[in-house]
Amino acid sequence: MPQSLKKLLALEIAHRIDAMRTCRKRALRGEDAESLHNLRVALRRLRSLTRPLQPLLTPRIRRIERRLKRLVQDTNALRDAEVHQQWLSRLAPDLPPPSPRRKDAARLRRALKSGRLKRDLNLLRERLPRQLAKTPKFALTRLLAGGCDAAQIELAHALSRSGFDDAVPQDLHNSRLLTKRVRYQAESYAVLLGDSRLALLATPCRELQDALGDLRDLEACAASLPQAEQKRAAARIRQARAECRERARLAWQDMHDRLAPTPLED
């Protein structure tokens, strides 16, 4: 067990909050095409980092957690429009790119500019290390390891519930969300906990997350095309769908094989 776990975790939390602040500023300024994506990643990484700490969080910090979750939801429509445009340029390059709805952009801008968000991030940076300092080192290590194990078991059950080819869209979506959680926890906690097995999950999780995300975005884009354009782009859609499904199938099976022993042994 790392002797400086509390200190390292406090530094990691501070780093994630600072990254969130930077991404917030860049998203408000619209500095580059990836600013919105980077904001979403920073939010999810911060929330994944604090998720195993839930039993330690005060009611006030839990309310902040819920507000951060709503902020992620506020970014969904704009990010979907960005990804839709990328797929549209591949499937139907003659169609004009879609424009994000102004009300979605305005709602997100209000949320990012709010004084409450600034106060929430400041409070997290100040209060979370205090909560860690009050927790015995052994109890903290056990809590973090247990939280990471629980996320892996939940993902293993989701992947085992049905094979990839039999999974319905909601199953694929839920598996993708769980994969994100395991990935971000692996990237944050493997080093802090000295867990080599957890570290090995980061790359396959990223591959499964990307493959399932591409498949979801492709299907949404294809379904939104006008019927005439769907017919003209039918060959491109079939080829892209086959490529996405094969990547996702292989990544799904790989992750299933890596995690299957955990629930079986339990």
Side-chain angles (χ1 to χ4, degrees):
M1 178 183 66
Q3 295 300 311
S4 56
L5 176 60
K6 292 183 184 181
K7 181 179 180 180
L8 290 173
L9 182 52
L11 290 173
E12 182 71 11
I13 290 171
H15 171 68
R16 294 301 180 195
I17 292 173
D18 289 345
M20 172 60 200
R21 287 170 171 164
T22 300
C23 290
R24 168 190 165 274
K25 292 176 182 177
R26 289 178 177 171
L28 281 171
R29 291 195 293 260
E31 289 185 354
D32 54 69
E34 289 297 305
S35 59
L36 178 61
H37 172 67
N38 292 336
L39 172 68
R40 286 167 57 84
V41 171
L43 275 165
R44 292 191 184 280
R45 287 184 186 277
L46 177 57
R47 295 187 63 239
S48 294
L49 184 67
T50 59
R51 190 180 186 92
L53 300 173
Q54 288 297 316
L56 303 180
L57 303 185
T58 64
R60 188 174 185 182
I61 294 180
R62 290 180 182 177
R63 287 194 294 271
I64 293 175
E65 285 277 298
R66 290 194 291 271
R67 287 196 288 270
L68 291 179
K69 181 178 181 179
R70 288 196 295 270
L71 181 57
V72 173
Q73 294 168 347
D74 285 341
T75 68
N76 287 344
L78 292 177
R79 183 57 182 169
D80 285 348
E82 285 187 354
V83 175
H84 184 104
Q85 182 175 342
Q86 294 168 8
W87 275 110
L88 195 62
S89 65
R90 176 178 173 182
L91 299 178
D94 296 334
L95 287 182
S99 299
R101 294 187 300 179
R102 291 183 179 180
K103 67 176 184 179
D104 294 327
R107 182 172 62 249
L108 177 59
R109 188 169 185 81
R110 285 195 301 271
L112 292 177
K113 291 181 69 174
S114 71
R116 166 167 276 182
L117 177 58
K118 296 178 184 178
R119 292 192 297 272
D120 283 349
L121 293 176
N122 289 337
L123 190 66
L124 283 177
R125 207 178 194 283
E126 174 189 348
R127 298 288 179 88
L128 279 176
R130 293 184 188 177
Q131 294 297 117
L132 297 178
K134 297 176 183 178
T135 307
K137 190 185 303 182
F138 172 79
L140 179 60
T141 303
R142 186 173 181 178
L143 180 67
L144 296 178
C148 293
D149 287 345
Q152 294 171 50
I153 291 172
E154 190 174 359
L155 175 57
H157 287 166
L159 299 179
S160 300
R161 203 167 291 128
S162 62
F164 172 79
D165 291 319
D166 297 325
V168 299
Q170 189 61 47
D171 292 335
L172 298 177
H173 177 65
N174 292 340
S175 296
R176 179 168 171 259
L177 295 181
L178 290 170
T179 301
K180 282 185 183 182
R181 186 188 308 167
V182 173
R183 172 194 170 184
Y184 292 151
Q185 289 181 354
E187 291 174 348
S188 295
Y189 284 120
V191 174
L192 294 178
L193 296 172
D195 188 336
S196 58
R197 181 179 178 275
L198 183 59
L200 292 174
L201 293 179
T203 297
C205 275
R206 185 183 69 247
E207 292 172 352
L208 178 57
Q209 174 190 335
D210 290 347
L212 291 177
D214 286 347
L215 182 59
R216 171 186 176 275
D217 295 334
L218 165 62
E219 297 292 3
C221 181
S224 70
L225 293 176
Q227 189 171 6
E229 196 61 39
Q230 285 188 29
K231 292 181 180 179
R232 283 194 292 270
R236 289 192 293 269
I237 292 173
R238 282 196 302 271
Q239 180 180 356
R241 182 181 287 126
E243 292 173 356
C244 283
R245 288 190 65 84
E246 184 60 19
R247 280 178 52 221
R249 182 183 294 106
L250 293 174
W252 179 291
Q253 187 61 50
D254 178 50
M255 184 58 64
H256 175 272
D257 292 345
R258 290 173 183 270
L259 295 179
T262 301
L264 290 179
E265 290 172 1
D266 290 347

